[in-house]
């Protein structure tokens, strides 16, 4: 990043923090601004409209309306005169559709500014919130007497590109896979997110086995049987211990980048019959929102430019190579399926291109 990009990224970070706290944010577009508060944190704040993702609008049968004719854009709807936080969440959260099936009909409203609406959706993803906002005219909105946070699409883009990281701390850490291990903590300058590298063995100049492992609280810590994350994590460490040396990069990108709470909402949708891909899309997110450039930066700080990548996901190979690193070999990571994750593993292979060989 150059010039004013660090300041821009921090402005977006403040807006993200405000949304998480239930505070309003003014999002500026090309011609107009919209003032939004997250539907799930803003409580029962009264507003005349709600901004929803295109995927949510399709589920609510709004895309046949003229004001919602462009299916690539978010959709704004008029809110009923009397509503509460419960109704707002029933509209916003697709995981609640079976519990609250009777909603609407709703009428789509013209968007004040396409760019502002799209920027708000991107803010929601970075904040780990549902892409659903209560919208007001906002010109007089204040928070405890202070002006509310303002943000632009350019500032949000700067935030997305601002994952400049630095080593914050390191220490020896014997683990069950290897007593010769070192843990290194990396801190993102823009949002203070911490990422971890665990080095198994000793850097001897050979090409290390590397695993990019995205955080999975349910699998890594709680032993969830719905995914293969926990077994993959431990198998990767064992394979590293059996060779010269290896690096586990533990990336704080829960739920393929949509956050823990939204991942649990995706789980609820899976229980309703949607697979992992369709669940993410129905929530209004990308199938995979992770940023593997963070891993590339971590490897460069560790003076590693060539790796043997332990993964079934070709996107991880492409992600590192796009950042200038060399992947000498892709090593598959095979984990036995169980009755709870068999469909999930099939979906990863059939719909997201994962390879077991």
């Amino acid at each position: 990043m150059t010039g004013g990009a660090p300041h821009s990224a921090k402005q977006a970070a403040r807006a993200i923090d405000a949304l998480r706290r239930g505070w309003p944010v003014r999002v500026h577009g090309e011609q107009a601004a919209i003032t939004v508060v997250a539907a799930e944190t803003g409580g029962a704040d009264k507003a005349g409209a709600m901004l929803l993702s295109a995927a949510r609008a399709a589920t609510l049968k709004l895309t046949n309306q003229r004001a919602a004719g462009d299916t690539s854009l978010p959709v704004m709807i008029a809110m009923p005169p009397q509503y509460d936080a419960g109704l707002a969440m029933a509209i916003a959260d697709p995981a609640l559709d079976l519990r609250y099936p009777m909603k609407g009909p709703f009428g789509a409203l013209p968007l004040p500014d396409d760019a502002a609406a799209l920027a708000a959706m991107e803010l929601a993803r970075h904040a780990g919130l549902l892409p659903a906002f209560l919208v007001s005219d906002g010109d007089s909105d204040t928070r405890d007497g202070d002006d509310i946070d303002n943000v632009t699409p350019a500032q949000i883009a700067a935030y997305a590109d601002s994952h400049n990281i630095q080593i914050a701390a390191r220490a020896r850490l014997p683990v069950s896979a290897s007593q010769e291990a070192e843990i290194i903590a990396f801190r993102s300058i823009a949002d203070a997110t911490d990422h971890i590298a665990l080095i198994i063995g000793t850097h001897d100049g050979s090409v290390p086995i590397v695993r990019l492992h995205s955080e999975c609280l349910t699998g890594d810590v709680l032993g969830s049987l719905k995914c293969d994350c926990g077994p993959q994590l431990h198998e990767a460490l064992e394979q590293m211990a059996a060779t010269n040396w290896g690096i586990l990069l533990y990336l704080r990108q829960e739920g393929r980048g949509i956050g823990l709470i939204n991942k649990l909402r995706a789980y609820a949708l899976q229980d309703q019959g949607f697979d992992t891909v369709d669940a993410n899309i129905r929530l209004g997110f990308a199938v995979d929102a992770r940023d593997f450039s963070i891993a590339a930066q971590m490897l460069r700080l560790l003076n590693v430019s060539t790796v043997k990548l332990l993964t079934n996901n070709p996107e991880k190979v492409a992600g590192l190579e796009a950042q200038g690193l060399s992947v000498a070999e892709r090593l598959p990571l095979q984990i036995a399926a169980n009755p709870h994750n068999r469909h999930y593993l099939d979906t990863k292979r059939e719909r997201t291109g994962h390879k077991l060989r």
Side-chain angles (χ1 to χ4, degrees):
M1 299 191 316
T2 60
H7 174 74
S8 295
K10 290 178 181 178
Q11 186 67 25
R14 283 192 289 268
I16 290 166
D17 181 67
L19 290 175
R20 288 173 175 162
R21 295 173 185 272
W23 296 339
V25 168
R26 187 175 294 115
V27 185
H28 294 262
E30 296 174 353
Q31 304 295 331
I34 54 176
T35 299
V36 299
V37 63
E40 64 180 288
T41 59
D45 289 2
K46 292 302 179 182
M50 179 178 278
L51 184 67
L52 301 167
S53 69
R56 189 60 178 147
T59 300
L60 295 175
K61 310 300 182 186
L62 292 165
T63 52
N64 62 339
Q65 300 183 27
R66 182 177 179 182
D70 188 342
T71 57
S72 67
L73 292 174
V75 173
M76 194 157 67
I77 64 171
M79 290 297 287
Q82 301 295 326
Y83 73 90
D84 58 15
L87 177 59
M89 278 302 293
I91 297 170
D93 188 354
L96 300 178
D97 282 350
L98 293 183
R99 192 184 309 173
Y100 303 108
M102 302 300 292
K103 297 184 290 292
F106 301 109
L109 302 172
L111 289 173
D113 188 282
D114 294 355
L118 288 167
M121 297 294 109
E122 189 67 9
L123 275 179
R125 182 180 70 81
H126 289 303
L129 299 170
L130 283 169
F133 297 95
L134 298 171
V135 181
S136 67
D137 56 20
D139 290 338
S140 62
D141 286 339
T142 59
R143 184 184 70 238
D144 295 335
D146 297 325
D147 291 339
I148 67 174
D149 291 289
N150 290 265
V151 67
T152 67
Q155 290 169 338
I156 298 169
Y159 176 87
D161 294 336
S162 69
H163 295 292
N164 287 347
I165 59 175
Q166 57 191 12
I167 293 177
R170 59 198 306 164
R172 190 177 70 87
L173 182 70
V175 295
S176 58
S178 173
Q179 296 183 41
E180 300 299 323
E182 181 185 18
I183 188 168
I184 302 174
F186 300 78
R187 176 170 292 150
S188 170
I189 297 171
D191 62 0
T193 297
D194 301 328
H195 303 280
I196 297 296
L198 185 69
I199 299 180
I200 301 293
T202 303
H203 191 326
D204 62 0
S206 62
V207 177
I209 291 179
V210 172
R211 167 72 180 166
L212 312 187
H213 190 90
S214 298
E215 178 182 34
C216 179
L217 173 69
T218 50
D220 300 340
V221 178
L222 303 179
S224 167
L225 298 177
K226 286 179 67 69
C227 65
D228 56 348
C229 301
Q232 282 191 333
L233 172 64
H234 297 292
E235 175 62 21
L237 292 176
E238 293 295 335
Q239 290 195 31
M240 291 174 192
T243 189
N244 292 349
W245 73 297
I247 306 172
L248 172 78
L249 299 184
Y250 197 80
L251 308 174
R252 305 298 294 278
Q253 301 188 114
E254 181 83 50
R256 295 199 210 102
I258 67 174
L260 175 62
I261 293 174
N262 285 322
K263 182 179 83 167
L264 299 186
R265 290 180 173 124
Y267 279 179
L269 286 170
Q270 290 171 35
D271 289 340
Q272 296 172 22
F274 297 94
D275 66 25
T276 182
V277 170
D278 288 334
N280 273 31
I281 293 172
R282 196 172 180 88
L283 285 168
F285 298 110
V287 174
D288 193 335
R290 289 175 292 184
D291 179 5
F292 296 122
S293 70
I294 298 170
Q297 290 185 57
M298 295 168 73
L299 288 169
R300 278 193 286 267
L301 288 172
L302 296 173
N303 297 314
V304 172
S305 58
T306 302
V307 302
K308 296 178 181 178
L309 195 60
L310 191 57
T311 184
N312 301 330
N313 185 357
E315 291 298 321
K316 291 183 178 180
V317 176
L320 288 187
E321 291 181 337
Q323 295 296 317
L325 274 79
S326 174
V327 179
E329 185 178 1
R330 184 186 68 83
L331 305 173
L333 189 59
Q334 298 191 26
I335 302 297
N338 67 60
H340 300 278
N341 69 13
R342 191 178 307 278
H343 180 58
Y344 167 78
L345 297 179
D346 289 344
T347 300
K348 288 207 297 185
R349 184 180 65 254
E350 296 167 4
R351 300 196 64 186
T352 61
H354 283 228
K355 303 179 183 297
L356 297 181
R357 297 183 181 178

